[in-house]
Amino acid sequence: DAGVTQSPTHLIKTRGQQVTLRCSPKSGHDTVSWYQQALGQGPQFIFQYYEEEERQRGNFPDRFSGHQFPNYSSELNVNALLLGDSALYLCASAAQLNYGYTFGSGTRLTVV
Amino acid sequence: KNEVEQSPQNLTAQEGEFITINCSYSVGISALHWLQQHPGGGIVSLFMLSSGKKKHGRLIATINIQEKHSSLHITASHPRDSAVYICAVVLSADKLIFGTGTRLQVFP
């Protein structure tokens, strides 16, 4: 039973570019949350998707957007990349009304 | 003030020592996770608690809902336990808030 799969694992982008990160949730999970973890910090909540809609959003600018597909997989898009967007981006999935989260291994984004 | 506070921030131990990491929170929660993060980033969920105590191998997690406090204990610590341990609380509607983590190093 595959857990949460994130791709790519590492990515280097130039300031001003756009990036798309992908997440496939654990089988049986329908809720996907995205987190940004800067070096030495705890993860910060970006947003959560359920039933293909953004259900909650953290304190992140509109440059951060997402999408959930009918198969429950999700994408995180970041436009106009800034150096400060360099971080580990984590995806976590859960089954609705079940608080047990499963985390992916993350995508490490470096903006140069 | 952060809604989730962990202590200590950094912890070093000799192999075999008993280790305790504490987590205090200031919000109402549905559950609490203890997570382990190794270098490279992948996060593993160790425990999910809503009351009482759970044990898995050398790891024990407790939670006191009234005092809004949880602890993670590691008995007979080993160098492979070296990692960052993160406490995360579950608010309503499944939103997670993370602590900043405790960096544990266990030396042989």
Side-chain angles (χ1 to χ4, degrees), chain B residues 14-43:
Chain B
Q14 288 295 125
E15 184 174 356
E17 286 185 4
F18 180 84
I19 288 163
T20 296
I21 300 171
N22 295 300
C23 175
S24 297
Y25 51 91
S26 59
V27 293
I29 70 169
S30 304
L32 180 146
H33 287 263
W34 279 104
L35 310 169
Q36 182 190 56
Q37 187 173 35
H38 281 280
I43 288 181

PDB file of all heavy atoms in Angstrom, chain B residues 14-43:
ATOM      1  N   GLN B  14      23.682  10.617  25.653  1.00  0.00           N
ATOM      2  CA  GLN B  14      24.545   9.457  25.457  1.00  0.00           C
ATOM      3  C   GLN B  14      23.658   8.240  25.205  1.00  0.00           C
ATOM      4  O   GLN B  14      22.546   8.130  25.762  1.00  0.00           O
ATOM      5  CB  GLN B  14      25.415   9.212  26.690  1.00  0.00           C
ATOM      6  CG  GLN B  14      26.525  10.233  26.884  1.00  0.00           C
ATOM      7  CD  GLN B  14      27.551  10.190  25.764  1.00  0.00           C
ATOM      8  OE1 GLN B  14      27.823  11.194  25.129  1.00  0.00           O
ATOM      9  NE2 GLN B  14      28.107   9.010  25.507  1.00  0.00           N
ATOM     10  N   GLU B  15      24.159   7.351  24.398  1.00  0.00           N
ATOM     11  CA  GLU B  15      23.405   6.127  24.106  1.00  0.00           C
ATOM     12  C   GLU B  15      22.964   5.458  25.405  1.00  0.00           C
ATOM     13  O   GLU B  15      23.742   5.339  26.356  1.00  0.00           O
ATOM     14  CB  GLU B  15      24.286   5.183  23.294  1.00  0.00           C
ATOM     15  CG  GLU B  15      23.590   3.911  22.853  1.00  0.00           C
ATOM     16  CD  GLU B  15      24.458   3.075  21.915  1.00  0.00           C
ATOM     17  OE1 GLU B  15      25.569   3.530  21.555  1.00  0.00           O
ATOM     18  OE2 GLU B  15      24.015   1.988  21.524  1.00  0.00           O
ATOM     19  N   GLY B  16      21.721   5.069  25.443  1.00  0.00           N
ATOM     20  CA  GLY B  16      21.184   4.390  26.611  1.00  0.00           C
ATOM     21  C   GLY B  16      20.382   5.286  27.543  1.00  0.00           C
ATOM     22  O   GLY B  16      19.636   4.797  28.389  1.00  0.00           O
ATOM     23  N   GLU B  17      20.529   6.595  27.389  1.00  0.00           N
ATOM     24  CA  GLU B  17      19.819   7.516  28.281  1.00  0.00           C
ATOM     25  C   GLU B  17      18.323   7.542  27.978  1.00  0.00           C
ATOM     26  O   GLU B  17      17.879   7.266  26.862  1.00  0.00           O
ATOM     27  CB  GLU B  17      20.382   8.935  28.159  1.00  0.00           C
ATOM     28  CG  GLU B  17      21.732   9.120  28.813  1.00  0.00           C
ATOM     29  CD  GLU B  17      22.196  10.565  28.768  1.00  0.00           C
ATOM     30  OE1 GLU B  17      21.436  11.426  28.293  1.00  0.00           O
ATOM     31  OE2 GLU B  17      23.319  10.831  29.217  1.00  0.00           O
ATOM     32  N   PHE B  18      17.555   7.913  28.993  1.00  0.00           N
ATOM     33  CA  PHE B  18      16.116   8.114  28.880  1.00  0.00           C
ATOM     34  C   PHE B  18      15.878   9.571  28.469  1.00  0.00           C
ATOM     35  O   PHE B  18      16.437  10.490  29.066  1.00  0.00           O
ATOM     36  CB  PHE B  18      15.446   7.820  30.224  1.00  0.00           C
ATOM     37  CG  PHE B  18      13.959   7.991  30.218  1.00  0.00           C
ATOM     38  CD1 PHE B  18      13.133   6.967  29.781  1.00  0.00           C
ATOM     39  CD2 PHE B  18      13.362   9.168  30.666  1.00  0.00           C
ATOM     40  CE1 PHE B  18      11.746   7.100  29.795  1.00  0.00           C
ATOM     41  CE2 PHE B  18      11.979   9.316  30.674  1.00  0.00           C
ATOM     42  CZ  PHE B  18      11.173   8.285  30.241  1.00  0.00           C
ATOM     43  N   ILE B  19      15.065   9.773  27.449  1.00  0.00           N
ATOM     44  CA  ILE B  19      14.876  11.103  26.878  1.00  0.00           C
ATOM     45  C   ILE B  19      13.413  11.507  26.971  1.00  0.00           C
ATOM     46  O   ILE B  19      12.515  10.676  26.751  1.00  0.00           O
ATOM     47  CB  ILE B  19      15.327  11.100  25.405  1.00  0.00           C
ATOM     48  CG1 ILE B  19      16.852  11.008  25.326  1.00  0.00           C
ATOM     49  CG2 ILE B  19      14.822  12.341  24.659  1.00  0.00           C
ATOM     50  CD1 ILE B  19      17.352  10.595  23.999  1.00  0.00           C
ATOM     51  N   THR B  20      13.190  12.761  27.300  1.00  0.00           N
ATOM     52  CA  THR B  20      11.834  13.305  27.316  1.00  0.00           C
ATOM     53  C   THR B  20      11.788  14.593  26.515  1.00  0.00           C
ATOM     54  O   THR B  20      12.625  15.482  26.702  1.00  0.00           O
ATOM     55  CB  THR B  20      11.374  13.591  28.755  1.00  0.00           C
ATOM     56  OG1 THR B  20      11.302  12.354  29.472  1.00  0.00           O
ATOM     57  CG2 THR B  20       9.994  14.250  28.764  1.00  0.00           C
ATOM     58  N   ILE B  21      10.819  14.691  25.636  1.00  0.00           N
ATOM     59  CA  ILE B  21      10.558  15.907  24.868  1.00  0.00           C
ATOM     60  C   ILE B  21       9.145  16.349  25.205  1.00  0.00           C
ATOM     61  O   ILE B  21       8.222  15.532  25.245  1.00  0.00           O
ATOM     62  CB  ILE B  21      10.689  15.647  23.361  1.00  0.00           C
ATOM     63  CG1 ILE B  21      12.111  15.157  23.024  1.00  0.00           C
ATOM     64  CG2 ILE B  21      10.364  16.905  22.557  1.00  0.00           C
ATOM     65  CD1 ILE B  21      12.273  14.664  21.601  1.00  0.00           C
ATOM     66  N   ASN B  22       8.994  17.636  25.472  1.00  0.00           N
ATOM     67  CA  ASN B  22       7.701  18.161  25.916  1.00  0.00           C
ATOM     68  C   ASN B  22       7.047  19.041  24.870  1.00  0.00           C
ATOM     69  O   ASN B  22       7.713  19.715  24.080  1.00  0.00           O
ATOM     70  CB  ASN B  22       7.888  18.966  27.201  1.00  0.00           C
ATOM     71  CG  ASN B  22       8.350  18.095  28.339  1.00  0.00           C
ATOM     72  OD1 ASN B  22       7.668  17.154  28.727  1.00  0.00           O
ATOM     73  ND2 ASN B  22       9.534  18.386  28.860  1.00  0.00           N
ATOM     74  N   CYS B  23       5.716  19.041  24.885  1.00  0.00           N
ATOM     75  CA  CYS B  23       4.922  19.853  23.963  1.00  0.00           C
ATOM     76  C   CYS B  23       3.765  20.464  24.737  1.00  0.00           C
ATOM     77  O   CYS B  23       3.006  19.739  25.396  1.00  0.00           O
ATOM     78  CB  CYS B  23       4.407  18.986  22.828  1.00  0.00           C
ATOM     79  SG  CYS B  23       3.294  19.822  21.678  1.00  0.00           S
ATOM     80  N   SER B  24       3.640  21.775  24.676  1.00  0.00           N
ATOM     81  CA  SER B  24       2.510  22.470  25.288  1.00  0.00           C
ATOM     82  C   SER B  24       1.782  23.252  24.211  1.00  0.00           C
ATOM     83  O   SER B  24       2.411  23.800  23.300  1.00  0.00           O
ATOM     84  CB  SER B  24       2.986  23.434  26.380  1.00  0.00           C
ATOM     85  OG  SER B  24       3.600  22.729  27.425  1.00  0.00           O
ATOM     86  N   TYR B  25       0.461  23.317  24.329  1.00  0.00           N
ATOM     87  CA  TYR B  25      -0.317  24.018  23.316  1.00  0.00           C
ATOM     88  C   TYR B  25      -1.375  24.866  23.994  1.00  0.00           C
ATOM     89  O   TYR B  25      -1.758  24.623  25.146  1.00  0.00           O
ATOM     90  CB  TYR B  25      -0.938  23.030  22.327  1.00  0.00           C
ATOM     91  CG  TYR B  25      -1.703  21.900  22.966  1.00  0.00           C
ATOM     92  CD1 TYR B  25      -3.061  22.009  23.217  1.00  0.00           C
ATOM     93  CD2 TYR B  25      -1.061  20.721  23.334  1.00  0.00           C
ATOM     94  CE1 TYR B  25      -3.764  20.983  23.816  1.00  0.00           C
ATOM     95  CE2 TYR B  25      -1.760  19.684  23.926  1.00  0.00           C
ATOM     96  CZ  TYR B  25      -3.104  19.822  24.171  1.00  0.00           C
ATOM     97  OH  TYR B  25      -3.799  18.805  24.770  1.00  0.00           O
ATOM     98  N   SER B  26      -1.836  25.872  23.289  1.00  0.00           N
ATOM     99  CA  SER B  26      -2.735  26.854  23.904  1.00  0.00           C
ATOM    100  C   SER B  26      -4.118  26.867  23.276  1.00  0.00           C
ATOM    101  O   SER B  26      -4.942  27.704  23.618  1.00  0.00           O
ATOM    102  CB  SER B  26      -2.119  28.250  23.812  1.00  0.00           C
ATOM    103  OG  SER B  26      -1.878  28.594  22.449  1.00  0.00           O
ATOM    104  N   VAL B  27      -4.372  25.948  22.360  1.00  0.00           N
ATOM    105  CA  VAL B  27      -5.648  25.929  21.647  1.00  0.00           C
ATOM    106  C   VAL B  27      -6.371  24.622  21.922  1.00  0.00           C
ATOM    107  O   VAL B  27      -5.752  23.648  22.371  1.00  0.00           O
ATOM    108  CB  VAL B  27      -5.431  26.087  20.130  1.00  0.00           C
ATOM    109  CG1 VAL B  27      -4.892  27.473  19.814  1.00  0.00           C
ATOM    110  CG2 VAL B  27      -4.485  25.026  19.595  1.00  0.00           C
ATOM    111  N   GLY B  28      -7.671  24.614  21.657  1.00  0.00           N
ATOM    112  CA  GLY B  28      -8.414  23.372  21.778  1.00  0.00           C
ATOM    113  C   GLY B  28      -8.090  22.458  20.613  1.00  0.00           C
ATOM    114  O   GLY B  28      -8.010  22.908  19.480  1.00  0.00           O
ATOM    115  N   ILE B  29      -7.870  21.202  20.904  1.00  0.00           N
ATOM    116  CA  ILE B  29      -7.432  20.284  19.856  1.00  0.00           C
ATOM    117  C   ILE B  29      -8.310  19.046  19.822  1.00  0.00           C
ATOM    118  O   ILE B  29      -8.997  18.709  20.789  1.00  0.00           O
ATOM    119  CB  ILE B  29      -5.954  19.867  20.015  1.00  0.00           C
ATOM    120  CG1 ILE B  29      -5.774  18.954  21.241  1.00  0.00           C
ATOM    121  CG2 ILE B  29      -5.055  21.098  20.114  1.00  0.00           C
ATOM    122  CD1 ILE B  29      -4.395  18.303  21.291  1.00  0.00           C
ATOM    123  N   SER B  30      -8.268  18.394  18.662  1.00  0.00           N
ATOM    124  CA  SER B  30      -8.963  17.121  18.503  1.00  0.00           C
ATOM    125  C   SER B  30      -8.007  15.949  18.733  1.00  0.00           C
ATOM    126  O   SER B  30      -8.424  14.876  19.152  1.00  0.00           O
ATOM    127  CB  SER B  30      -9.554  17.023  17.103  1.00  0.00           C
ATOM    128  OG  SER B  30     -10.402  18.113  16.846  1.00  0.00           O
ATOM    129  N   ALA B  31      -6.754  16.159  18.400  1.00  0.00           N
ATOM    130  CA  ALA B  31      -5.742  15.113  18.549  1.00  0.00           C
ATOM    131  C   ALA B  31      -4.369  15.755  18.457  1.00  0.00           C
ATOM    132  O   ALA B  31      -4.234  16.935  18.096  1.00  0.00           O
ATOM    133  CB  ALA B  31      -5.906  14.037  17.466  1.00  0.00           C
ATOM    134  N   LEU B  32      -3.357  14.979  18.770  1.00  0.00           N
ATOM    135  CA  LEU B  32      -1.974  15.469  18.720  1.00  0.00           C
ATOM    136  C   LEU B  32      -1.106  14.397  18.082  1.00  0.00           C
ATOM    137  O   LEU B  32      -1.249  13.205  18.378  1.00  0.00           O
ATOM    138  CB  LEU B  32      -1.501  15.796  20.135  1.00  0.00           C
ATOM    139  CG  LEU B  32      -0.072  16.336  20.309  1.00  0.00           C
ATOM    140  CD1 LEU B  32      -0.026  17.337  21.466  1.00  0.00           C
ATOM    141  CD2 LEU B  32       0.928  15.222  20.525  1.00  0.00           C
ATOM    142  N   HIS B  33      -0.213  14.836  17.200  1.00  0.00           N
ATOM    143  CA  HIS B  33       0.731  13.928  16.557  1.00  0.00           C
ATOM    144  C   HIS B  33       2.136  14.162  17.087  1.00  0.00           C
ATOM    145  O   HIS B  33       2.529  15.302  17.337  1.00  0.00           O
ATOM    146  CB  HIS B  33       0.796  14.200  15.048  1.00  0.00           C
ATOM    147  CG  HIS B  33      -0.394  13.760  14.273  1.00  0.00           C
ATOM    148  ND1 HIS B  33      -0.443  12.562  13.600  1.00  0.00           N
ATOM    149  CD2 HIS B  33      -1.582  14.363  14.052  1.00  0.00           C
ATOM    150  CE1 HIS B  33      -1.609  12.460  12.982  1.00  0.00           C
ATOM    151  NE2 HIS B  33      -2.316  13.528  13.238  1.00  0.00           N
ATOM    152  N   TRP B  34       2.885  13.090  17.252  1.00  0.00           N
ATOM    153  CA  TRP B  34       4.334  13.180  17.387  1.00  0.00           C
ATOM    154  C   TRP B  34       4.929  12.658  16.083  1.00  0.00           C
ATOM    155  O   TRP B  34       4.599  11.542  15.645  1.00  0.00           O
ATOM    156  CB  TRP B  34       4.837  12.378  18.577  1.00  0.00           C
ATOM    157  CG  TRP B  34       4.678  13.100  19.871  1.00  0.00           C
ATOM    158  CD1 TRP B  34       3.749  12.889  20.846  1.00  0.00           C
ATOM    159  CD2 TRP B  34       5.497  14.180  20.347  1.00  0.00           C
ATOM    160  NE1 TRP B  34       3.926  13.760  21.877  1.00  0.00           N
ATOM    161  CE2 TRP B  34       4.997  14.564  21.613  1.00  0.00           C
ATOM    162  CE3 TRP B  34       6.619  14.852  19.834  1.00  0.00           C
ATOM    163  CZ2 TRP B  34       5.565  15.598  22.366  1.00  0.00           C
ATOM    164  CZ3 TRP B  34       7.171  15.871  20.579  1.00  0.00           C
ATOM    165  CH2 TRP B  34       6.657  16.233  21.831  1.00  0.00           C
ATOM    166  N   LEU B  35       5.795  13.479  15.499  1.00  0.00           N
ATOM    167  CA  LEU B  35       6.380  13.185  14.198  1.00  0.00           C
ATOM    168  C   LEU B  35       7.895  13.124  14.324  1.00  0.00           C
ATOM    169  O   LEU B  35       8.488  13.795  15.178  1.00  0.00           O
ATOM    170  CB  LEU B  35       5.998  14.270  13.190  1.00  0.00           C
ATOM    171  CG  LEU B  35       4.516  14.627  13.110  1.00  0.00           C
ATOM    172  CD1 LEU B  35       4.331  15.894  12.277  1.00  0.00           C
ATOM    173  CD2 LEU B  35       3.735  13.486  12.498  1.00  0.00           C
ATOM    174  N   GLN B  36       8.505  12.323  13.463  1.00  0.00           N
ATOM    175  CA  GLN B  36       9.963  12.229  13.422  1.00  0.00           C
ATOM    176  C   GLN B  36      10.431  12.627  12.027  1.00  0.00           C
ATOM    177  O   GLN B  36       9.899  12.135  11.034  1.00  0.00           O
ATOM    178  CB  GLN B  36      10.391  10.786  13.724  1.00  0.00           C
ATOM    179  CG  GLN B  36      11.891  10.565  13.755  1.00  0.00           C
ATOM    180  CD  GLN B  36      12.225   9.080  13.805  1.00  0.00           C
ATOM    181  OE1 GLN B  36      11.813   8.308  12.946  1.00  0.00           O
ATOM    182  NE2 GLN B  36      12.970   8.672  14.814  1.00  0.00           N
ATOM    183  N   GLN B  37      11.400  13.509  11.994  1.00  0.00           N
ATOM    184  CA  GLN B  37      11.929  13.973  10.718  1.00  0.00           C
ATOM    185  C   GLN B  37      13.439  13.785  10.699  1.00  0.00           C
ATOM    186  O   GLN B  37      14.161  14.366  11.488  1.00  0.00           O
ATOM    187  CB  GLN B  37      11.584  15.437  10.460  1.00  0.00           C
ATOM    188  CG  GLN B  37      11.967  15.931   9.080  1.00  0.00           C
ATOM    189  CD  GLN B  37      11.461  17.322   8.794  1.00  0.00           C
ATOM    190  OE1 GLN B  37      11.396  18.166   9.689  1.00  0.00           O
ATOM    191  NE2 GLN B  37      11.101  17.588   7.549  1.00  0.00           N
ATOM    192  N   HIS B  38      13.898  12.954   9.756  1.00  0.00           N
ATOM    193  CA  HIS B  38      15.325  12.717   9.602  1.00  0.00           C
ATOM    194  C   HIS B  38      15.919  13.705   8.610  1.00  0.00           C
ATOM    195  O   HIS B  38      15.168  14.299   7.798  1.00  0.00           O
ATOM    196  CB  HIS B  38      15.578  11.289   9.135  1.00  0.00           C
ATOM    197  CG  HIS B  38      15.488  10.281  10.235  1.00  0.00           C
ATOM    198  ND1 HIS B  38      16.516  10.055  11.127  1.00  0.00           N
ATOM    199  CD2 HIS B  38      14.486   9.459  10.617  1.00  0.00           C
ATOM    200  CE1 HIS B  38      16.158   9.131  11.994  1.00  0.00           C
ATOM    201  NE2 HIS B  38      14.928   8.751  11.720  1.00  0.00           N
ATOM    202  N   PRO B  39      17.253  13.889   8.609  1.00  0.00           N
ATOM    203  CA  PRO B  39      17.888  14.741   7.600  1.00  0.00           C
ATOM    204  C   PRO B  39      17.452  14.309   6.212  1.00  0.00           C
ATOM    205  O   PRO B  39      17.383  13.135   5.917  1.00  0.00           O
ATOM    206  CB  PRO B  39      19.380  14.499   7.830  1.00  0.00           C
ATOM    207  CG  PRO B  39      19.483  14.072   9.244  1.00  0.00           C
ATOM    208  CD  PRO B  39      18.221  13.312   9.541  1.00  0.00           C
ATOM    209  N   GLY B  40      17.145  15.270   5.361  1.00  0.00           N
ATOM    210  CA  GLY B  40      16.579  14.936   4.058  1.00  0.00           C
ATOM    211  C   GLY B  40      15.107  15.233   4.008  1.00  0.00           C
ATOM    212  O   GLY B  40      14.540  15.415   2.935  1.00  0.00           O
ATOM    213  N   GLY B  41      14.463  15.292   5.175  1.00  0.00           N
ATOM    214  CA  GLY B  41      13.137  15.884   5.236  1.00  0.00           C
ATOM    215  C   GLY B  41      11.959  14.988   5.470  1.00  0.00           C
ATOM    216  O   GLY B  41      10.964  15.446   6.000  1.00  0.00           O
ATOM    217  N   GLY B  42      12.018  13.716   5.094  1.00  0.00           N
ATOM    218  CA  GLY B  42      10.827  12.885   5.199  1.00  0.00           C
ATOM    219  C   GLY B  42      10.291  12.823   6.612  1.00  0.00           C
ATOM    220  O   GLY B  42      11.040  12.706   7.573  1.00  0.00           O
ATOM    221  N   ILE B  43       8.997  12.953   6.756  1.00  0.00           N
ATOM    222  CA  ILE B  43       8.362  12.944   8.078  1.00  0.00           C
ATOM    223  C   ILE B  43       7.622  11.631   8.268  1.00  0.00           C
ATOM    224  O   ILE B  43       6.870  11.193   7.390  1.00  0.00           O
ATOM    225  CB  ILE B  43       7.396  14.128   8.225  1.00  0.00           C
ATOM    226  CG1 ILE B  43       8.175  15.431   8.370  1.00  0.00           C
ATOM    227  CG2 ILE B  43       6.469  13.934   9.410  1.00  0.00           C
ATOM    228  CD1 ILE B  43       7.309  16.651   8.540  1.00  0.00           C
TER     229      ILE B  43
END
